[in-house]
């Protein structure tokens, strides 16, 4: 693929020639099926988190450029929305095949721009690919309903129609998966889509656009713009955009939900989280500690479903030293190097914020039993590295608990009973995910029934559902009516038209030819 080869070549060239502003490649827009250079004078430097060297320059698209993307989407909608559902399905069949064949190239780009390990980056791509594969079921997912003879000679039926131009605003932590939650579902339902990837990690989205072209998707069906605050406002305000999907921080999500909603758009926002893992003393100790370490520190803790809080019940608190030893053995290094368990966090600002939240725990009386703030990584001294960090004796009023740290930090609370653990979780404003580790079925059942969280794992630390279900974070973690992907995703991107028709039996035309001699009557 041309763009994949270009990205690989540019990465090599940048490494060889240094990082002067003049020599760094620029990220293109994708408008009307073509990769287009922005004419803006305002650019964002994208840094490799492992080295803080500039990888590419991302444009803050001009208002005219973003409006051109909308006009392209509007034009494409006229024909794409009238295309057969089978032709849209075929695009998804081809796209999933192309993505699968190029997973390693996508992963390399994600590691370069975002910092996560190559194996984790491939997982990022795979979970997005599964949504594309689910979209291949659109011929069943988009069926309507019917009732025959609802009254004498009267039938009622409904069918689902696309909305029009839709938009997606994606975060930095999953450069492939989150865009793949958005535009495949939108366009398979007959909409067109405008994607604004995070200005920190646009490369994966651009590679996906090359793949979409190769899959035969018509020009204008998906367009890509870039930018920051002004681009978000454009998406929220433009009257041609009918629906907005967002994944990211609380502050941005609430802003987008209010502003886009005020402009009459459908909005779905996945936002912040504080995911708790409850560890019972009867759990399988070795498996639980391994699962906990992976879920807390994998991807450097930069997952909205990271298990960032552990609640040890009763004697289970005695396992914390063993957990510390497991975490201490995890290898921190640049994501592209073999054997790396966790790479850098996204930016120096993120690293500083993590440091400050860890320090706040110590100041408020918690114990830092494993401190990864001073970690040094050979040959990557300028990288944004934070080692696995564990804070024990945390109380629910401490800042390190109330704030989403979004780094490789596990905060540990201790309670005496499962009822206290449930109370702590239900009192937290977020409801993205939670898990319990136990060998007692009755305990697990009580937890599942009483916990007020949208996604629950039983001996599963990160209970993200596969795409035949929907991603069902709740309470403070989600704003909107319909969740991402699955049946709810189809519902979000479609509207229902209901037809009630009356055809009286007495009005049926004669079905036999009249062969008798006509007479005057």
């Amino acid at each position: 693929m041309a763009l994949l080869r270009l990205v690989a070549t540019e990465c090599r060239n940048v490494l060889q020639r240094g990082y002067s502003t003049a020599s760094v490649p620029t990220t293109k827009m994708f408008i009307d099926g073509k990769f287009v250079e922005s004419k803006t004078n305002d650019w964002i430097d994208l840094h490799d988190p492992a080295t803080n060297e500039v990888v590419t320059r991302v444009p803050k698209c001009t208002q005219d450029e973003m409006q051109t993307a909308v006009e392209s989407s509007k034009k494409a909608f006229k024909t794409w929305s009238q295309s057969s559902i089978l032709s849209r399905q075929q695009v998804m069949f081809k796209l999933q095949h192309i993505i699968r064949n190029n997973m390693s190239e996508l992963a390399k780009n994600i590691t370069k721009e975002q910092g996560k390990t190559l194996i984790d980056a491939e997982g990022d791509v795979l979970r997005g690919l599964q949504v594309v594969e689910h979209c291949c079921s659109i011929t069943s997912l988009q069926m309507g309903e019917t009732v025959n003879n609802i009254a004498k000679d009267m039938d009622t039926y409904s069918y689902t129609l696309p909305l029009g131009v839709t938009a997606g605003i994606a975060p930095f932590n999953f450069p492939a998966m989150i865009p793949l939650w958005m535009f495949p579902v939108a366009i398979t339902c007959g909409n067109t889509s405008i994607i604004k990837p995070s200005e920190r990690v646009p490369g994966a989205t651009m590679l996906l656009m090359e793949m979409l072209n190769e899959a035969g998707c018509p020009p204008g069906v998906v367009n890509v713009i870039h930018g920051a605050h002004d681009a978000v406002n454009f998406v929220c305000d433009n009257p041609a955009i009918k629906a907005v999907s967002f994944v990211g921080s609380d502050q941005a999500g609430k802003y987008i939900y209010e502003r886009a909603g005020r402009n009459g758009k459908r909005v779905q926002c996945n936002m912040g989280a504080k995911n708790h893992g409850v560890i019972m003393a009867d759990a399988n100790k070795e498996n639980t500690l391994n699962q906990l370490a992976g879920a807390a520190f994998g991807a450097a803790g930069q997952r909205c479903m990271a298990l960032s809080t552990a609640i040890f019940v009763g004697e289970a608190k005695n396992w914390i030293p063993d957990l510390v030893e497991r975490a201490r053995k995890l290898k921190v290094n640049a994501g592209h190097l073999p054997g790396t368990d966790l790479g850098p966090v996204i930016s120096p600002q993120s690293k500083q914020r993590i440091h400050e939240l860890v320090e706040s725990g110590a100041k408020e009386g918690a114990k830092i039993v494993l401190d990864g703030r001073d970690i040094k990584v050979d040959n990557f001294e300028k990288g944004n590295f934070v080692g696995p960090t564990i804070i024990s004796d945390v109380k629910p009023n401490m800042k390190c608990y109330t704030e989403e740290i979004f780094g490789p930090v596990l905060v540990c609370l201790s309670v005496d009973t499962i009822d206290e653990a449930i109370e702590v979780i239900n009192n937290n404003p977020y409801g993205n995910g939670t898990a319990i580790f136990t060998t007692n079925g009755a305990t697990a059942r009580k937890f599942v029934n009483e916990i007020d969280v949208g996604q629950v794992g039983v001996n599963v630390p990160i209970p993200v559902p596969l795409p035949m279900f929907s991603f069902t974070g709740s309470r403070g973690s989600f704003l909107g009516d319909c969740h991402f992907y699955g049946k709810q995703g189809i519902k979000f991107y479609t509207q229902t038209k209901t037809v009630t028709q009356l055809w009286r039996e007495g009005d049926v035309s004669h079905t036999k030819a009249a062969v008798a001699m006509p007479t005057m009557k």
Side-chain angles (χ1 to χ4, degrees):
M1 294 172 62
L3 185 60
L4 287 172
R5 290 193 296 271
L6 176 62
V7 168
T9 300
E10 288 290 359
C11 284
R12 286 194 299 270
N13 289 345
V14 168
L15 286 170
Q16 291 167 0
R17 68 195 177 203
Y19 284 81
S20 70
T21 301
S23 66
V24 174
T26 56
T27 296
K28 308 295 189 292
M29 302 177 292
F30 183 72
I31 298 178
D32 216 28
K34 299 180 179 65
F35 294 93
V36 183
E37 188 77 66
S38 175
K39 296 180 180 179
T40 186
N41 294 318
D42 199 357
W43 298 82
I44 303 166
D45 286 345
L46 187 158
H47 299 83
D48 180 340
T51 63
N52 271 309
E53 295 172 317
V54 180
V55 175
T56 183
R57 303 180 72 218
V58 182
K60 291 185 178 180
C61 292
T62 67
Q63 292 292 315
D64 286 345
E65 287 168 343
M66 292 187 288
Q67 186 59 42
T68 299
V70 169
E71 294 303 322
S72 172
S73 294
K74 287 168 61 178
K75 180 181 177 181
F77 178 73
K78 294 178 182 178
T79 52
W80 181 248
S81 61
Q82 298 303 312
S83 63
S84 74
I85 197 168
L86 292 176
S87 65
R88 301 198 299 269
Q89 181 190 45
Q90 284 298 316
V91 170
M92 288 299 112
F93 278 133
K94 295 173 183 176
L95 181 61
Q96 66 87 21
H97 177 71
I98 296 167
I99 292 173
R100 187 171 293 278
N101 286 344
N102 290 279
M103 286 181 67
S104 62
E105 292 302 321
L106 277 162
K108 289 174 185 176
N109 177 269
I110 291 170
T111 296
K112 189 68 178 173
E113 293 186 352
Q114 201 272 349
K116 63 177 66 178
T117 65
L118 284 171
I119 190 171
D120 193 39
E122 288 201 7
D124 182 334
V125 178
L126 177 62
R127 292 310 299 263
L129 174 62
Q130 290 169 340
V131 176
V132 178
E133 291 172 337
H134 187 60
C135 287
C136 295
S137 303
I138 191 63
T139 48
S140 299
L141 295 171
Q142 207 172 342
M143 285 183 176
E145 299 174 317
T146 183
V147 174
N148 191 43
N149 285 328
I150 199 166
K152 175 63 176 173
D153 298 334
M154 183 179 290
D155 309 317
T156 298
Y157 61 91
S158 68
Y159 49 94
T160 55
L161 298 172
L163 302 173
V165 181
T166 65
I169 302 171
F172 76 83
N173 57 329
F174 285 96
M177 183 182 77
I178 302 299
L180 288 170
W181 282 11
M182 296 172 177
F183 75 82
V185 184
I187 69 173
T188 312
C189 291
N191 303 282
T192 54
S193 178
I194 296 172
I195 296 293
K196 193 207 85 65
S198 169
E199 62 276 15
R200 297 174 177 179
V201 291
T205 297
M206 305 315 294
L207 294 176
L208 289 170
M209 293 304 102
E210 176 78 1
M211 298 176 195
L212 198 62
N213 270 351
E214 187 175 336
C217 187
V221 173
V222 182
N223 292 294
V224 179
I225 61 174
H226 302 288
H229 192 71
D230 287 346
V232 170
N233 286 343
F234 177 88
V235 167
C236 292
D237 295 344
N238 192 282
I241 297 174
K242 306 301 181 184
V244 179
S245 299
F246 169 80
V247 177
S249 70
D250 266 16
Q251 182 180 2
K254 291 174 182 176
Y255 176 84
I256 290 167
Y257 186 78
E258 191 277 330
R259 184 159 182 157
R262 187 174 66 235
N263 287 316
K265 305 179 191 299
R266 289 188 183 183
V267 190
Q268 54 178 186
C269 292
N270 272 359
M271 306 185 301
K274 197 74 176 182
N275 307 311
H276 302 74
V278 175
I279 297 90
M280 305 300 297
D282 60 28
N284 181 310
K285 181 179 178 180
E286 296 303 310
N287 180 65
T288 297
L289 294 180
N290 287 337
Q291 296 265 46
L292 191 56
F297 306 121
Q302 297 177 126
R303 295 169 175 155
C304 63
M305 285 291 286
L307 207 60
S308 60
T309 304
I311 302 180
F312 292 87
V313 180
E315 296 303 312
K317 64 185 177 184
N318 296 327
W319 297 359
I320 292 177
D322 295 309
L323 177 62
V324 168
E325 290 309 306
R326 277 173 171 75
R328 199 189 304 275
K329 294 176 183 177
L330 295 174
K331 184 176 181 180
V332 181
N333 211 331
H336 68 282
L337 294 178
T340 301
D341 294 308
L342 60 153
V345 297
I346 191 67
S347 68
Q349 294 78 16
S350 178
K351 177 180 176 179
Q352 181 61 31
R353 180 176 179 275
I354 293 166
H355 283 197
E356 291 172 355
L357 286 169
V358 171
E359 184 61 26
S360 74
K363 289 179 178 178
E364 293 183 277
K367 296 178 182 177
I368 304 175
V369 292
L370 179 63
D371 194 341
R373 289 176 293 174
D374 295 326
I375 191 167
K376 305 297 181 185
V377 178
D378 291 341
N379 301 316
F380 296 94
E381 289 78 6
K382 295 182 180 179
N384 310 318
F385 294 97
V386 181
T389 299
I390 299 176
I391 310 175
S392 68
D393 296 344
V394 174
K395 305 299 180 185
N397 63 327
M398 293 181 179
K399 189 175 181 180
C400 64
Y401 173 79
T402 59
E403 294 281 326
E404 183 179 21
I405 299 178
F406 222 63
V409 180
L410 179 68
V411 299
C412 300
L413 290 75
S414 298
V415 297
D416 293 328
T417 67
I418 183 64
D419 295 289
E420 292 176 76
I422 291 171
E423 183 179 6
V424 168
I425 297 170
N426 287 346
N427 284 338
N428 190 278
Y430 295 113
N432 214 33
T434 189
I436 186 169
F437 298 90
T438 181
T439 56
N440 187 305
T443 300
R445 186 174 188 275
K446 173 184 175 67
F447 183 78
V448 169
N449 287 342
E450 296 184 14
I451 209 70
D452 186 12
V453 174
Q455 297 168 122
V456 184
V458 177
N459 298 317
V460 176
I462 303 180
V464 177
L466 289 170
M468 62 285 294
F469 295 93
S470 296
F471 189 98
T472 52
S474 63
R475 293 194 285 142
S477 296
F478 180 75
L479 288 172
D481 295 323
C482 294
H483 291 277
F484 285 82
Y485 63 77
K487 292 181 180 178
Q488 292 197 37
I490 301 296
K491 185 177 179 181
F492 178 78
Y493 284 115
T494 57
Q495 56 189 330
T496 302
K497 179 178 283 188
T498 303
V499 179
T500 301
Q501 58 182 9
L502 173 64
W503 297 108
R504 299 185 186 281
E505 186 176 0
D507 293 337
V508 175
S509 302
H510 290 291
T511 57
K512 293 183 179 180
V515 296
M517 177 66 71
T519 58
M520 300 295 293
K521 292 184 179 178

